[in-house]
């Protein structure tokens, strides 16, 4: 059996996952806080290492949370089902200005709410991704349409989402704004699913099905199982470039700073379900992509401070990258500098400098020519 096992990567995983001190949290009913991880080598698209649970392995063929368990993804799904589709369709770019206020109010209750409960008015898509604003993700999926967002998530990124089934006389499924914008999925996804999907971005938009073996031979050297695969283009290289740029900001200065690897370009996205019983971090460098889930076997609120999934990501990925030179993600030529208005998103005019609030509302961003604003500022005069 020719496996894709990487001894260095697996040793880094084992050193973290066999030590319960790395997640020292026991629930009120005695559950050990659990975790799962899958690490993919970006150069090959193969699974380099994985772990299906915390603690030393005590038997074979046991339940593997890395490949068999599915949990709701929370906000970690946003790049796959909201932002990449919208960018690919030419609907938004990182400098597009969108509204950060409730999408709707039902029964006097605003929806959705952001993690910190604050609404900020007009923000760029880059700000929304960096800080995981639910309002902008919801508006983005609405613009893409849930049907198209579902198509991207399942056919381009190969997530096993639920199209719809009857549960107690009610249709349950993931073709909707809420599940696709905020990850409250009917069933969920595995760490292998998420690592495989996110590896599209550091590979310039190309999807490779992650393998754990390449072939199996019999005693005569004859190939009896051939695990050859075909690559496919999931998104354009320009879309991947934008996502890489924005998810790098997540780790540099946004909600994913706990995953930062010293001296290595790192990108990624956090994820938390409404009840705080599933915590995710899916991230990558130019070398490896890894998805980490943290939670209890029987769902309970995760009590750990910060995002323990991001913390585990850093603990595993730091030794894996020892001795590797820092690199950039795939570059794409043709970017142009644009001065735009931070309130309406149009190309800035002189009046944007003299906003009544006392400061200039002009910002500079870099986009591809087709993504330049098609209008000039209309909110200053």
């Amino acid at each position: 059996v020719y496996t894709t096992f990487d001894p260095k990567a697996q040793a880094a995983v084992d050193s973290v996952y066999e030590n319960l001190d790395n997640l020292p949290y026991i629930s009120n009913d005695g559950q050990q806080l659990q975790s799962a991880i899958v690490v993919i080598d970006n150069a090959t698209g193969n699974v380099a290492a994985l772990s299906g649970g915390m603690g030393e392995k005590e038997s074979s063929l046991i339940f593997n949370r890395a490949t068999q368990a599915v949990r709701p993804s929370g906000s970690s799904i946003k790049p796959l089902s909201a932002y990449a589709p919208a960018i690919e369709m030419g609907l938004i770019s990182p400098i597009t200005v969108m509204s950060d206020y409730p999408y709707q109010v039902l029964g006097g209750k605003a929806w959705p709410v952001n993690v910190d409960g604050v609404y900020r008015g007009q923000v760029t898509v880059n700000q929304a991704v960096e800080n995981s604003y639910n309002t902008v993700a919801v508006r983005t999926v609405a613009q893409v349409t849930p049907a198209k967002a579902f198509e991207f998530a399942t056919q381009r990124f190969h997530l096993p989402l639920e199209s719809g089934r009857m549960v107690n006389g009610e249709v349950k499924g993931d073709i909707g704004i809420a599940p696709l914008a905020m990850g409250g999925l009917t069933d969920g996804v595995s760490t292998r699913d998420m690592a495989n999907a996110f590896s599209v971005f550091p590979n310039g938009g190309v999807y490779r099905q992650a393998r754990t073996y390449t072939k199996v031979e019999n005693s005569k050297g004859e190939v009896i199982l051939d695990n050859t695969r075909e690559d496919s283009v999931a998104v354009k290289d320009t879309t991947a470039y934008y996502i890489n740029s924005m998810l790098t900001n997540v780790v540099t200065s946004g909600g994913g700073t706990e995953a930062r690897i010293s001296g290595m370009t790192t990108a990624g996205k956090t994820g938390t379900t409404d009840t705080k019983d599933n915590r995710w971090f899916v991230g990558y460098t130019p070398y490896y992509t890894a998805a980490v889930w943290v939670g209890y076997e029987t769902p309970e609120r995760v009590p750990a401070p910060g995002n323990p999934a991001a913390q585990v990501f850093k603990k595993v990925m730091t030794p894996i990258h020892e001795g590797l030179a820092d690199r950039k993600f795939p570059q794409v030529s043709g970017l142009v500098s644009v001065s735009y208005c931070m309130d309406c998103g149009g190309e800035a005019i002189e009046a944007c400098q003299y906003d009544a609030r006392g400061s200039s509302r002009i910002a500079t961003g870099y986009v591809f020519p087709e993504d330049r604003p098609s209008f000039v500022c209309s909110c200053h005069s």
Side-chain angles (χ1 to χ4, degrees):
V1 179
Y2 290 80
T3 75
T4 61
F5 166 77
D6 180 330
K8 179 181 178 181
Q10 189 63 53
V13 168
D14 290 342
S15 68
V16 172
Y17 275 76
E18 291 180 358
N19 185 354
L20 295 179
D21 290 339
N22 287 309
L23 279 179
Y25 303 97
I26 307 297
S27 70
N28 292 332
D29 62 357
Q31 291 189 86
Q32 163 67 44
L33 187 59
Q34 276 296 340
S35 182
I37 186 172
V38 169
V39 180
I40 291 176
D41 184 337
N42 294 336
T44 63
N46 295 330
V47 175
L50 60 81
S51 179
M54 294 298 297
E56 294 187 16
K57 186 179 178 183
E58 297 178 350
S59 59
S60 298
L61 301 179
I62 57 176
F63 183 72
N64 190 321
R65 296 177 188 85
T67 57
Q68 295 172 284
V70 293
R71 293 292 182 102
S73 64
S75 293
S76 61
I77 201 173
K78 290 175 180 176
L80 308 172
S81 56
Y83 296 115
I87 292 170
E88 186 78 359
M89 295 166 67
L91 301 175
I92 64 170
S93 78
I95 67 171
T96 298
V97 173
M98 297 183 71
S99 299
D100 176 26
Y101 56 78
Y103 181 72
Q104 61 185 21
V105 178
L106 295 175
K109 187 175 182 179
W111 182 87
V113 296
N114 291 324
V115 175
D116 59 4
V118 176
Y119 299 114
R120 295 165 178 80
Q122 301 298 92
V123 298
T124 62
V125 167
N126 182 62
Q127 288 173 280
V129 173
E130 185 175 325
N131 298 290
S132 201
Y133 298 156
N134 291 329
T135 53
V136 176
V138 163
R139 284 184 167 81
T140 301
V141 172
Q143 194 173 359
V144 170
T145 75
K148 198 68 178 177
F150 183 85
E151 178 186 314
F152 263 83
T154 56
Q155 297 184 22
R156 303 287 190 99
F157 295 108
H158 301 266
L159 296 182
L161 305 186
E162 177 58 58
S163 60
R165 69 172 186 266
M166 294 296 294
V167 179
N168 298 324
E170 184 181 353
V171 177
K172 297 285 187 180
D174 298 326
I175 306 178
I177 291 179
L180 293 169
M182 298 185 293
L185 304 174
T186 304
D187 296 319
V189 288
S190 70
T191 54
R192 182 172 181 170
D193 296 329
M194 292 298 280
N196 207 168
F198 267 69
S199 68
V200 164
F201 302 129
N203 284 320
V206 176
Y207 175 85
R208 298 188 182 107
Q209 185 177 9
R211 304 176 293 184
T212 54
Y213 76 96
T214 57
K215 62 181 178 178
V216 178
E217 295 179 350
N218 62 16
S219 58
K220 299 178 182 179
E222 300 167 336
V223 176
I224 57 175
L225 284 177
D226 185 351
N227 203 15
T228 302
R229 67 189 169 196
E230 292 185 8
D231 297 348
S232 61
V233 176
V235 294
K236 294 179 290 190
D237 57 353
T238 51
T239 299
Y241 177 90
Y242 280 149
I243 296 292
N244 289 335
S245 175
M246 292 191 292
L247 295 189
T248 298
N249 292 338
V250 170
V251 176
T252 302
S253 54
T257 55
E258 292 173 294
R260 193 182 302 156
I261 301 172
S262 178
M264 181 60 59
T265 300
T266 310
K269 185 70 187 72
T270 56
T272 305
T273 51
D274 285 346
T275 51
K276 305 293 191 297
D277 52 11
N278 293 286
R279 306 300 301 270
W280 288 82
F281 186 81
V282 190
Y284 52 92
T285 69
Y287 297 96
Y288 293 94
T289 299
V292 180
W293 165 83
V294 170
Y296 287 108
E297 193 69 39
T298 301
E300 290 188 39
R301 185 184 180 93
V302 175
N307 186 334
Q311 297 160 16
V312 168
F313 175 92
K314 179 176 182 176
K315 289 177 181 178
V316 169
M317 295 288 265
T318 296
I320 289 178
H321 287 80
E322 283 182 359
L324 297 178
D326 190 17
R327 293 197 318 212
K328 293 182 178 180
F329 293 119
Q331 301 296 294
V332 183
S333 61
L335 287 168
V336 295
S337 175
V338 176
S339 293
Y340 63 95
C341 172
M342 292 188 284
D343 292 309
C344 66
E347 289 214 37
I349 60 176
E350 184 179 4
C352 299
Q353 298 181 63
Y354 308 109
D355 187 90
R357 287 163 288 187
S359 61
S360 173
R361 299 297 293 166
I362 297 176
T364 300
Y366 293 87
V367 296
F368 295 101
E370 62 270 24
D371 296 318
R372 290 189 73 122
S374 59
F375 60 96
V376 298
C377 171
S378 58
C379 59
H380 295 100
S381 62

